[in-house]
Amino acid sequence: MTNVTEVSIATQHIETGKQRQSRIVGGLLILLALFVVLVFGMGLSGDATFRLSRPTDPFALPNLVIPSAPFTYIAAALLAFLGARELIRGGTRWTSLSLGIGLAILVFAFLVWATTGKSFSLTGMLQATVVRAMPIALGGLAGVLCERVAVVNIAIEGMLLAGAFTGALIGSLLGGWGGLVAAVLVGGAFGFILAALVVTYRMDQIVAGVVINLFVLGVTSYVSSQVFSELRHLNNAPVFRAVKIPLLGDLPVIGPMLFNQNIFVYGALILVALATYYLFHTRSGLRARAVGEHPRAADTLGINVYRTRYIHVTLGGMVAGFGGAWFTLGSVGRFDENMTGGRGFIGLAAMIFGRWHPVGALMAALVFGFADSLQQKLALLNTPIPSEFLSMAPYIATMIVVAGLIGRARPPAADGKPYVKE
C-alpha cells in the first residue's frame, strides 16, 4: 500500500511539473506575440527581400519577397495561438515543440523587420551558420563522450586550443593532412592526461580541467608571441578548401549549406552520426552509458570502469583536437593567441542544451552558429539594435534549460563522481 501511495505522489508531482512548464511556455509565447506587435510591427512598411541564390549557382531561385507588416501580424497571431494553446491544454507533450516553433517564428519575424527595404542573402547566412557551428559541435561531442562515462571535461577549451596550435605548427612543416593528424593526436594526448588525473589519481575533475586549460593557454601564448613572431614560416599552414559534392552541391539553398563545405564540416557530421549509433545502438555504447549512470553496478557485471573511462575521455580529446584544427587548417591558416575564444565552454553549453546527446549537441551548436553569423549580418544591415545583444540569446536559452523551466536537463547519474573499486 505504501509503494502504491508513493508512486501516486510521484505521478502527481510529474503532472504538476508538466503543467507548470506549459504555463511558463504559454505565458512566454504570449509575451513574445505582444513584443512582435509593439516592437516589430509599429510603423513598419515595405518589403523584405531574401536572396536564395548566388550568381554562381547553376539552379537559380527567385528572391523571396515578404510584405513586412502583414507577416509581422501573422507571426504575432501564431505566437499568441501557440501560447493560448499551452495555457488551455497545459501538461501536453508538445510543450517543447511549441516553444521551438515559437522561437523560430520570432527569429524570422526579426529577420523580416531588420531586412525591410533591404536585400539579405539567406543562403550565405545559412552556409556561414554551418561553418561557425562546427567547432562548437565538435566541442560538444567531446563533452558528450566524456560525460556519458561520468567524467566532466572542462578542458575542452584547452584541447581545442592545443589542436589549433598543433595544426598550424605541424601543418606549416608537413602540410595540411600532417597537421590534421597531429592535432587529433595531441588532443587525444591531453584527453589521456585528463583521464589519468581524474580516473587513476582521482583529482577533482573541475580542477584538472582548469589546469589543462591554463597550461595550454600559457604554452601556446608564449610560443605565439616569442617564436612565431620571429619564425613566421612555422605559422603559415595550408587551409583545407571546400569540396563540392557532385549534384548535391548544386541544389538550391541546401547545396551550399551542406554539400559545398570543407573536411571539418563533413567530418563533424559523420562523427555525430557515428557517436549516436555507437552510444545508443551498440553493446559497447550501452556499457559506456552504464558506467556513467551506475559504475558500481557496471563493475559487478564485469565492465572495466577505469578502462572505459580512459578510452572515452581519450576519444573525446581526439574529437576536440580535430575541432581545434578547424581554427587554423579550416579557416585562416595561422595561429593567434587564444584564438578559440571560449568555444570549448560554448561547446559544454551546447552539450547541456542538447541533453547529453550527440545530435542534440549539434542542433544546439547550430543555434550558436546562427547567432554568430546573424550578428555579423546585422552589422551590414545597420539595424538600430546592437548586434551584441543577439549573441546573448543562446546563453539565455541555455540558462533556461539548465534551470529546468522548460524541462529538466538531467546529466548521467554518476557525472563528476570518482569511482573507487572495492
Side-chain angles (χ1 to χ4, degrees):
M1 186 65 180
T2 303
N3 292 336
V4 175
T5 304
E6 291 176 352
V7 171
S8 177
I9 293 174
T11 304
Q12 291 177 1
H13 281 303
I14 293 173
E15 293 299 325
T16 302
K18 290 182 179 179
Q19 292 176 359
R20 179 178 63 89
Q21 293 166 12
S22 293
R23 288 195 298 269
I24 292 173
V25 171
L28 177 62
L29 291 173
I30 291 177
L31 289 176
L32 290 179
L34 294 174
F35 177 82
V36 168
V37 171
L38 296 177
V39 177
F40 298 156
M42 300 300 292
L44 192 65
S45 62
D47 297 332
T49 302
F50 296 94
R51 299 193 304 273
L52 302 180
S53 300
R54 299 172 300 179
T56 58
D57 291 342
F59 302 105
L61 291 179
N63 293 337
L64 178 62
V65 180
I66 299 177
S68 299
F71 177 84
T72 299
Y73 290 111
I74 292 174
L78 290 174
L79 287 170
F81 168 76
L82 291 173
R85 181 177 178 275
E86 288 300 320
L87 290 176
I88 295 173
R89 301 178 59 188
T92 65
R93 59 192 179 97
W94 302 105
T95 300
S96 298
L97 180 61
S98 297
L99 180 62
I101 294 173
L103 292 177
I105 293 172
L106 174 67
V107 169
F108 203 68
F110 174 76
L111 284 176
V112 169
W113 172 78
T115 316
T116 299
K118 305 168 187 174
S119 181
F120 183 83
S121 177
L122 187 62
T123 299
M125 189 192 68
L126 293 176
Q127 186 179 23
T129 294
V130 174
V131 172
R132 294 179 179 278
M134 287 307 105
I136 300 173
L138 289 167
L141 179 58
V144 170
L145 291 173
C146 295
E147 297 209 12
R148 279 293 178 175
V149 294
V151 175
V152 176
N153 190 355
I154 298 295
I156 293 176
E157 176 71 10
M159 294 173 183
L160 288 176
L161 193 61
F165 173 81
T166 306
L169 177 60
I170 305 301
S172 301
L173 297 174
L174 302 180
W177 287 105
L180 181 60
V181 172
V184 172
L185 293 177
V186 167
F190 277 106
F192 183 85
I193 292 172
L194 177 64
L197 292 175
V198 303
V199 175
T200 301
Y201 299 103
R202 293 193 290 277
M203 184 177 178
D204 183 275
Q205 297 180 5
I206 304 299
V207 174
V210 172
V211 167
I212 291 176
N213 287 337
L214 294 177
F215 173 78
V216 174
L217 177 61
V219 171
T220 57
S221 298
Y222 173 80
V223 175
S224 177
S225 61
Q226 300 298 322
V227 179
F228 285 170
S229 60
E230 298 293 335
L231 305 175
R232 298 182 182 276
H233 67 280
L234 297 179
N235 193 20
N236 187 26
V239 176
F240 285 99
R241 301 300 177 185
V243 178
K244 183 179 179 180
I245 297 179
L247 298 180
L248 294 177
D250 294 329
L251 295 174
V253 183
I254 64 171
M257 184 173 64
L258 295 178
F259 305 113
N260 190 12
Q261 300 282 7
N262 61 26
I263 186 175
F264 294 96
V265 175
Y266 298 135
L269 296 177
I270 292 172
L271 286 174
V272 167
L274 290 176
T276 302
Y277 178 79
Y278 165 74
L279 287 173
F280 300 100
H281 298 90
T282 65
R283 181 178 297 177
S284 298
L286 177 61
R287 291 175 176 175
R289 289 186 289 126
V291 168
E293 293 292 340
H294 203 309
R296 192 163 305 282
D299 194 3
T300 59
L301 294 175
I303 300 173
N304 190 323
V305 175
Y306 293 164
R307 184 175 63 188
T308 301
R309 290 185 174 179
Y310 262 94
I311 291 174
H312 287 79
V313 175
T314 302
L315 288 175
M318 296 175 72
V319 171
F322 178 73
W326 174 90
F327 292 93
T328 50
L329 300 177
S331 182
V332 296
R334 54 170 286 118
F335 179 83
D336 293 313
E337 185 176 345
N338 196 24
M339 70 183 306
T340 52
R343 295 300 197 285
F345 300 114
I346 299 176
L348 283 174
M351 175 197 68
I352 297 172
F353 203 174
R355 299 176 185 274
W356 288 267
H357 193 287
V359 176
L362 174 62
M363 296 296 105
L366 289 173
V367 174
F368 285 91
F370 179 81
D372 194 8
S373 61
L374 185 57
Q375 180 183 2
Q376 292 191 342
K377 295 291 184 181
L378 288 178
L380 301 176
L381 292 174
N382 295 321
T383 57
I385 298 178
S387 59
E388 288 79 9
F389 280 99
L390 185 66
S391 61
M392 296 164 52
Y395 304 99
I396 295 174
T398 301
M399 288 189 293
I400 292 173
V401 171
V402 174
L405 296 180
I406 57 170
R408 183 69 59 182
R410 191 188 71 84
D415 198 16
K417 301 176 183 178
Y419 175 68
V420 181
K421 184 179 179 65
E422 293 181 353

